Amino acid sequence: MTRIELYDTTLRDGMQGEGMSLSAEEKLRVAHRLDELGIDLIEAGFPSSNPKELELFDLLSRERFGHAAVAAFGMTRRRDVTAAEDPALRVLAECFAPVCTLVGKTWALHLEKVVKVDREENLRMISESIAFLVGDGKRVVYDAEHFFDGFHDDREYALQCLRVAAEAGAESVVCCDTNGGTLPDRVAAAMADVVATLGPTGVRVGIHCHNDAGCGVANSLAAVQAGASHVQGTMNGYGERCGNANLVTVIPNLQLKLGYDCLTGAQLGSLTGAALWFDELLNFTPNPDKPYVGRNAFAHKGGMHVAGVAADPSTFEHIDPEVVGNRREVLISELSGKGTVHARARDAGIELDDGNAARVIERVKEREHRGYHYEAADGSFELLLRKETGEYEPLFRLESWRAIVEKRADGRVETEATIKIWVDGERYVRTAEGNGPVNALDRALRDALGEIYPHLRDIDLVNFKVRILNETKGTGAVTRVLLDASDGDAVWGSIGVSENIIEASWEALVDSLEYGMQVGRREEKTAAVPRS
Amino acid sequence: MTRIELYDTTLRDGMQGEGMSLSAEEKLRVAHRLDELGIDLIEAGFPSSNPKELELFDLLSRERFGHAAVAAFGMTRRRDVTAAEDPALRVLAECFAPVCTLVGKTWALHLEKVVKVDREENLRMISESIAFLVGDGKRVVYDAEHFFDGFHDDREYALQCLRVAAEAGAESVVCCDTNGGTLPDRVAAAMADVVATLGPTGVRVGIHCHNDAGCGVANSLAAVQAGASHVQGTMNGYGERCGNANLVTVIPNLQLKLGYDCLTGAQLGSLTGAALWFDELLNFTPNPDKPYVGRNAFAHKGGMHVAGVAADPSTFEHIDPEVVGNRREVLISELSGKGTVHARARDAGIELDDGNAARVIERVKEREHRGYHYEAADGSFELLLRKETGEYEPLFRLESWRAIVEKRADGRVETEATIKIWVDGERYVRTAEGNGPVNALDRALRDALGEIYPHLRDIDLVNFKVRILNETKGTGAVTRVLLDASDGDAVWGSIGVSENIIEASWEALVDSLEYGMQVGRREEKTAAVPRS
């Protein structure tokens, strides 16, 4: 099994993506998480492009990593100085990082129109910059920018850029599809040529792809199959435009399907958790459709799939989800059969006889007809199961609520909600303000319940979606509200449907908190150590 | 240039995706939009799996499409009956659709463990089902389910399944990667074998991929490069688990990079608009990182990219964004869009000088930064133009409004809104009930204004969409409301943005009515006959 060197550039190229923002401390956490996952090289950025980067390298220099090496990033020397005189190269040489990654030009179009350097001088810039850092004891990775465009334009020159890099002592030369629009057939052909040409130098050949043609993953695979053994990418494909090659997809493809050696079994089994952790840290809603690690990646709908998977999972699953730390999801819909309902009940630890299952299916059908949709509302579905089996415990009894939104004569908008509820024979009346009616209701309700159920304070509403059904009825349409909530560990969905948007939101809100308390109770039962 | 037949299955396989929900009327709109885009075959579903599908086929049968043919979907006959006796095949035969797509088994694992049919009987099921429909005058597309798993398991049998389909008269045989985990190298090898084997029959060979390994697009391309000329997929890659092959990415790759013929230039230029339209209809937040059509797909950050693009766009762009109807986003440039603003002003009959146009662009940028989005809000955009040129006439001056939603102790929900406005120096105070706060505000406002502006009574709110921006902030997020209104002739969109959902709705509502009055005035000027 060929060992593939995994190079993560989330902290440098990934940070170019929209909405990517991390403090130096958070970047340090990223580095540790990448190290735990089994990444070999962690590109951390340029050690002095701004104070935050300097702080990061200062922090990194004092850390120990179990497996990974830190790479500092920079460019080949400027055209008018020697390598030793180039201030940026000196920063790299003085940096603690054992690995330096240098990017340089390969494509004549860029030499002419962007940097205005002639071809011979460019070769010297590559060669001298690498030799300088190697002479200083650094391991050097050379990133050949726009390699595939350059190769297509002038094969000889593109290969020569790589050859001088290898001869100057680079450990790896990496072919970059910087504009991201190259398709797999071209990547495969060019890489085969590169591997054949550079074979005698003994240099490691690498690949760095972007996703502008939707082929970032496939291009990385094609390169490895053509002989590359170093793969650059980012967690979850973060990066500018359409993102970088997604290592979270590339790794299981290489290891589980093509037989390359990337991670240990335990590391691979942590992949889903790692992918979610990164989204969480960056405050992105995880894409449920992500290959391998998405919530829907192994979701089954409809009776035939569920029956087939029961007979033999490989009938409908391309891999065993547990190998990447994911799990099978059986989605509930009006098309679902009894088997599906039973499977979900088992997951929730609810005993269900066939009569109950049939009633649940009837109830789901009837409610879906009215606009409910349980696929993304696992929390509400579990509450429905509990209601049918008599295992449901309401958090409170509602007397009434009222929400008032007022645009005042001075232009200010004020929102206030009052709830009146009963818990254990006691009446609670609470009023709260909010930046909208649902926010105000949420605050008033938690204000009352938080005293009784402290676990509710850990629950955050992380996602709020409103869908108007029968949209063609305008504001007289039925509203479906989906809420996602989380207590930091689990994430669950709830749903409310009503002609009145506030009533629909209230229903979803109550389900969300009631299910959250079920989760809390379950955790209390199973956890030896109380949650902080 | 080889012509590729484009087959869209958004309305069937795409509907298996999470959160996919469309009424029969909406599906009809989808079919027309696909037709306009230049899709050749539109798979609409199984004509009798439930009343909604029946209604859809009834609607479709009365429509005319400029280009596309409708395909009805079904399975090969049951094992215990003849094709003519199979009720589902009879439904297909009797359906108006000129094309029938049949799915059947190819993989022994499924024959043994799922359907429990022997191999010979499966071949007869394929052959007889196709022959029956062909005999009835149908064009038949045969979808070979799990083809690549079957081919890997038993090449001979998998090819035989295709061969009997071709011999029975299928127009196309389609190799499906149903579980979605096959990688491009295997797809390419298998498809080359299929094309060589089936060549003598003259049948068209097709491909149907899913994205479970992140290679749905690359697999489709590999199949075409191996000789397939029929590609199945969905808009935006909608579909269960990780989605189907995304036609919105596949099409420009085939046409712009590999030289196949898919769409006219004008159709290709409508691709970005179409992709957004589908997300809008389904109320999905468009993924800004989507290849070709995403908002970030051609976004440039940093001075070097901007200078490079100014010197020659191909330095940093893999294609010209306008070819797919997208546009370059240069995050620091103020110049983009003046032409668009002038064009829109001309359409609205507004005179605009360059200074005004620049101010409009500034205003749009500033407001888009706050969450406004004028693409679907032409009405609000025209009002913004009028405000900048001093041509804006408000319908009324607002003093205040108030909406109260109350869930009473008896379980009833009551909603009431009060508005206080001034028109021509006179104060109007009106209170109305509604089935939600926006509906009540709408009624109160029209109650006041309808006396003064009778044309407002002709205006219906036909569409009401709510999108939560920064969804991860839960109920504290910013809300964007889009309203579509119509006076029976024109349809226009308006927008409101606020932390408070009611305030955002109010803003959109007022824009909607104000723009509606502009339309009314314009019609009065141009219409010889008064509107009824």
Side-chain angles (χ1 to χ4, degrees):
Chain A
M1 285 211 303
T2 307
R3 172 89 176 91
I4 302 298
E5 187 172 76
L6 300 172
Y7 185 107
D8 181 277
T9 181
T10 300
L11 293 177
R12 201 268 307 170
D13 222 9
M15 294 305 293
Q16 300 292 315
E18 187 189 351
M20 295 289 288
S21 167
L22 291 172
S23 67
E25 292 271 347
E26 287 171 324
K27 286 184 175 180
L28 191 65
R29 292 171 64 199
V30 166
H32 278 294
R33 188 79 204 216
L34 292 170
D35 181 43
E36 282 163 30
L37 180 62
I39 298 296
D40 300 295
L41 294 164
I42 299 171
E43 190 178 281
F46 178 59
S48 82
S49 67
N50 64 47
K52 204 156 112 183
E53 299 291 278
L54 269 183
E55 186 194 349
L56 171 63
F57 274 87
D58 186 44
L59 287 170
L60 284 169
S61 69
R62 288 181 269 130
E63 294 292 311
R64 286 190 170 279
F65 293 97
H67 170 79
V70 172
F73 180 84
M75 290 165 71
T76 51
R77 70 160 171 79
R78 292 183 347 218
R79 60 184 157 172
D80 47 358
V81 295
T82 67
E85 288 165 359
D86 186 289
L89 283 178
R90 293 176 67 126
V91 168
L92 286 181
E94 284 155 20
C95 170
F96 87 95
V99 181
C100 292
T101 299
L102 287 182
V103 64
K105 296 286 177 191
T106 326
W107 188 11
L109 182 75
H110 268 254
L111 292 175
E112 287 153 26
K113 301 219 169 164
V114 183
V115 291
K116 299 182 172 65
V117 164
D118 73 46
R119 293 164 162 238
E120 287 306 312
E121 172 64 0
N122 181 53
L123 292 174
R124 286 191 296 274
M125 285 160 63
I126 296 170
S127 175
E128 291 169 21
S129 304
I130 293 171
F132 170 69
L133 290 173
V134 169
D136 234 68
K138 298 291 187 186
R139 295 165 56 192
V140 176
V141 174
Y142 179 67
D143 274 9
E145 200 187 47
H146 299 286
F147 177 79
F148 297 95
D149 296 305
F151 181 89
H152 185 66
D153 183 45
D154 183 344
R155 168 183 173 278
E156 265 312 314
Y157 185 72
L159 290 175
Q160 210 181 340
C161 290
L162 299 184
R163 209 183 289 113
V164 302
E167 285 163 359
E171 176 181 290
S172 304
V173 295
V174 181
C175 301
C176 302
D177 186 29
T178 309
N179 291 355
T182 307
L183 296 186
D185 59 328
R186 274 207 188 166
V187 169
M191 290 306 286
D193 204 343
V194 167
V195 169
T197 305
L198 295 186
T201 69
V203 75
R204 188 191 278 273
V205 174
I207 181 74
H208 171 115
C209 295
H210 287 257
N211 201 38
D212 296 70
C215 293
V217 167
N219 284 345
S220 305
L221 303 181
V224 170
Q225 291 185 291
S229 62
H230 164 117
V231 178
Q232 299 193 352
T234 61
M235 288 295 108
N236 294 326
Y238 304 131
E240 65 188 323
R241 304 191 311 274
C242 310
N244 284 57
N246 184 355
L247 284 181
V248 174
T249 312
V250 169
I251 290 170
N253 275 333
L254 287 175
Q255 185 143 341
L256 301 175
K257 307 210 171 223
L258 297 175
Y260 293 93
D261 177 20
C262 299
L263 302 179
T264 67
Q267 288 166 340
L268 195 59
S270 75
L271 195 64
T272 299
L276 287 172
W277 184 89
F278 282 97
D279 275 339
E280 188 75 31
L281 183 74
L282 287 152
N283 209 15
F284 292 137
T285 305
N287 177 351
D289 296 350
K290 280 265 159 99
Y292 291 102
V293 299
R295 178 167 42 79
N296 292 340
F298 301 94
H300 298 284
K301 209 172 180 176
M304 202 210 233
H305 276 221
V306 176
V309 166
D312 182 340
S314 65
T315 52
F316 286 107
E317 285 175 355
H318 70 116
I319 63 154
D320 175 358
E322 287 184 14
V323 171
V324 292
N326 207 341
R327 57 172 203 169
R328 184 173 304 146
E329 287 280 334
V330 178
L331 296 177
I332 293 297
S333 83
E334 53 188 329
L335 306 171
S336 303
K338 255 185 214 174
T340 316
V341 171
H342 276 297
R344 285 291 289 272
R346 264 196 307 280
D347 285 351
I350 299 169
E351 300 226 359
L352 202 67
D353 62 29
D354 264 9
N356 282 340
R359 270 214 314 283
V360 168
I361 291 168
E362 275 315 297
R363 177 60 64 96
V364 167
K365 273 190 189 159
E366 172 250 314
R367 289 171 79 88
E368 295 218 336
H369 186 72
R370 282 161 48 202
Y372 287 81
H373 201 63
Y374 286 97
E375 274 176 31
D378 48 347
S380 291
F381 179 71
E382 188 175 318
L383 292 172
L384 187 149
L385 277 177
R386 290 185 184 279
K387 282 172 191 168
E388 289 304 322
T389 55
E391 281 192 49
Y392 169 66
E393 300 166 54
L395 283 184
F396 61 88
R397 188 171 66 72
L398 176 70
E399 183 182 308
S400 67
W401 53 254
R402 183 181 65 235
I404 303 175
V405 184
E406 190 166 9
K407 174 107 171 183
R408 302 189 327 187
D410 63 6
R412 284 190 52 189
V413 178
E414 298 216 323
T415 306
E416 158 193 316
T418 301
I419 60 150
K420 299 175 185 172
I421 62 171
W422 293 79
V423 185
D424 293 334
E426 204 161 323
R427 187 164 183 258
Y428 293 77
V429 177
R430 292 287 185 282
T431 296
E433 292 183 308
N435 52 22
V438 184
N439 185 238
L441 283 166
D442 182 27
R443 286 185 183 177
L445 184 58
R446 283 174 199 246
D447 187 23
L449 292 177
E451 297 163 19
I452 315 155
Y453 307 109
H455 178 62
L456 285 184
R457 297 203 179 112
D458 303 334
I459 297 173
D460 285 325
L461 303 182
V462 292
N463 209 322
F464 178 59
K465 294 208 181 214
V466 180
R467 168 106 158 94
I468 313 298
L469 309 175
N470 306 315
E471 281 166 355
T472 43
K473 287 186 192 158
T475 49
V478 170
T479 304
R480 176 199 291 159
V481 170
L482 284 168
L483 265 182
D484 287 345
S486 170
D487 61 3
D489 294 325
V491 177
W492 59 91
S494 64
I495 189 167
V497 173
S498 167
E499 277 202 336
N500 191 305
I501 191 169
I502 311 301
E503 164 75 349
S505 304
W506 169 262
E507 187 186 358
L509 180 65
V510 172
D511 269 13
S512 194
L513 298 182
E514 289 198 331
Y515 181 78
M517 283 306 297
Q518 301 282 0
V519 173
R521 285 187 199 118
R522 215 176 298 157
E523 280 168 1
E524 274 164 35
K525 275 184 210 158
T526 54
V529 184
R531 297 183 67 254
S532 59
Chain B
M1 282 213 303
T2 307
R3 172 89 175 91
I4 303 297
E5 186 172 76
L6 300 172
Y7 185 106
D8 181 278
T9 180
T10 300
L11 292 177
R12 201 267 309 170
D13 223 9
M15 294 306 293
Q16 298 292 314
E18 187 188 346
M20 295 288 290
S21 166
L22 292 172
S23 66
E25 294 264 350
E26 287 172 324
K27 286 184 175 180
L28 190 65
R29 291 170 67 196
V30 165
H32 278 293
R33 188 76 203 220
L34 293 169
D35 181 43
E36 282 163 28
L37 180 61
I39 298 297
D40 300 294
L41 294 164
I42 299 170
E43 191 178 282
F46 178 59
S48 81
S49 68
N50 64 46
K52 207 156 111 182
E53 298 291 278
L54 268 183
E55 186 192 347
L56 170 64
F57 274 86
D58 186 45
L59 288 170
L60 284 168
S61 68
R62 287 181 269 131
E63 294 293 311
R64 285 190 170 278
F65 294 97
H67 171 78
V70 171
F73 181 83
M75 291 164 71
T76 51
R77 70 159 170 79
R78 293 186 344 221
R79 61 184 157 172
D80 47 358
V81 295
T82 67
E85 287 163 1
D86 186 288
L89 283 178
R90 294 177 67 126
V91 168
L92 287 181
E94 283 155 20
C95 170
F96 86 95
V99 182
C100 292
T101 299
L102 286 183
V103 63
K105 297 286 176 189
T106 326
W107 189 11
L109 182 75
H110 268 255
L111 291 175
E112 288 154 24
K113 300 218 170 164
V114 183
V115 289
K116 299 183 172 64
V117 163
D118 74 45
R119 294 165 162 236
E120 286 306 313
E121 171 65 0
N122 182 54
L123 293 174
R124 284 191 296 272
M125 284 160 63
I126 297 170
S127 175
E128 291 168 21
S129 304
I130 294 170
F132 170 69
L133 291 173
V134 170
D136 235 69
K138 298 292 185 183
R139 295 165 56 191
V140 175
V141 174
Y142 179 67
D143 274 11
E145 200 187 45
H146 298 287
F147 177 79
F148 297 96
D149 296 306
F151 182 89
H152 185 67
D153 184 45
D154 183 343
R155 169 185 172 277
E156 264 313 314
Y157 185 71
L159 291 175
Q160 209 181 339
C161 290
L162 300 185
R163 208 182 290 113
V164 301
E167 285 164 359
E171 176 180 290
S172 304
V173 296
V174 181
C175 301
C176 302
D177 185 29
T178 309
N179 291 355
T182 306
L183 297 185
D185 59 328
R186 273 207 189 165
V187 169
M191 290 305 287
D193 204 343
V194 167
V195 170
T197 305
L198 295 187
T201 68
V203 75
R204 187 191 279 271
V205 174
I207 181 75
H208 171 114
C209 294
H210 287 257
N211 200 37
D212 296 71
C215 294
V217 167
N219 284 344
S220 305
L221 302 181
V224 170
Q225 291 184 292
S229 62
H230 164 116
V231 177
Q232 299 193 352
T234 61
M235 288 295 110
N236 294 326
Y238 303 131
E240 64 188 325
R241 305 191 310 273
C242 309
N244 285 55
N246 184 354
L247 284 181
V248 174
T249 313
V250 169
I251 290 168
N253 276 332
L254 287 175
Q255 184 143 341
L256 300 175
K257 307 214 171 219
L258 298 176
Y260 293 93
D261 176 19
C262 300
L263 302 180
T264 67
Q267 288 166 340
L268 195 59
S270 75
L271 195 63
T272 299
L276 287 172
W277 185 90
F278 281 97
D279 274 340
E280 196 67 43
L281 183 73
L282 287 152
N283 205 19
F284 292 136
T285 305
N287 178 351
D289 297 350
K290 279 267 160 98
Y292 292 100
V293 299
R295 178 167 44 78
N296 292 339
F298 301 93
H300 297 285
K301 218 171 176 174
M304 202 213 233
H305 277 222
V306 176
V309 167
D312 183 341
S314 65
T315 53
F316 286 105
E317 284 175 356
H318 70 115
I319 63 152
D320 175 358
E322 286 183 14
V323 171
V324 292
N326 206 340
R327 57 178 193 169
R328 182 176 306 146
E329 289 285 335
V330 179
L331 302 174
I332 56 159
S333 164
E334 320 285 70
L335 298 171
S336 60
K338 239 188 217 181
T340 318
V341 170
H342 277 296
R344 290 285 289 272
R346 266 195 306 279
D347 286 351
I350 300 170
E351 300 227 358
L352 202 68
D353 62 29
D354 264 8
N356 283 339
R359 270 215 314 284
V360 168
I361 289 166
E362 274 315 296
R363 177 59 64 94
V364 167
K365 275 192 186 161
E366 174 248 314
R367 289 172 78 86
E368 295 214 336
H369 186 72
R370 283 162 48 202
Y372 288 80
H373 199 64
Y374 287 96
E375 267 177 28
D378 49 346
S380 291
F381 181 73
E382 188 175 320
L383 292 172
L384 187 150
L385 279 177
R386 291 187 182 278
K387 282 170 190 168
E388 288 305 321
T389 55
E391 281 193 48
Y392 168 67
E393 300 167 51
L395 282 185
F396 61 89
R397 188 171 67 73
L398 177 69
E399 183 182 309
S400 66
W401 54 252
R402 184 181 64 233
I404 303 174
V405 184
E406 189 166 10
K407 173 107 170 183
R408 303 191 324 187
D410 63 6
R412 284 190 52 189
V413 178
E414 298 217 323
T415 306
E416 156 192 318
T418 300
I419 60 151
K420 298 175 185 172
I421 61 171
W422 293 78
V423 184
D424 293 334
E426 203 161 323
R427 187 165 182 256
Y428 293 78
V429 178
R430 291 288 186 280
T431 296
E433 292 183 307
N435 52 21
V438 184
N439 184 241
L441 284 165
D442 182 29
R443 286 188 182 174
L445 185 58
R446 284 174 199 246
D447 187 23
L449 293 176
E451 297 165 20
I452 314 153
Y453 307 109
H455 177 62
L456 285 185
R457 296 203 179 113
D458 303 334
I459 296 174
D460 285 324
L461 302 182
V462 292
N463 210 323
F464 178 60
K465 295 210 179 211
V466 179
R467 174 152 307 157
I468 312 299
L469 310 174
N470 306 317
E471 281 167 357
T472 45
K473 286 187 190 155
T475 50
V478 170
T479 303
R480 176 199 289 159
V481 170
L482 284 167
L483 265 183
D484 287 346
S486 171
D487 60 3
D489 294 326
V491 176
W492 59 91
S494 64
I495 188 168
V497 173
S498 168
E499 277 202 334
N500 193 305
I501 191 169
I502 312 300
E503 165 75 349
S505 303
W506 170 262
E507 188 186 357
L509 180 65
V510 172
D511 269 15
S512 193
L513 298 182
E514 290 196 331
Y515 180 79
M517 283 307 297
Q518 301 283 0
V519 174
R521 286 188 199 118
R522 214 176 300 158
E523 279 168 2
E524 275 164 34
K525 276 184 212 159
T526 54
V529 184
R531 299 185 65 254
S532 60

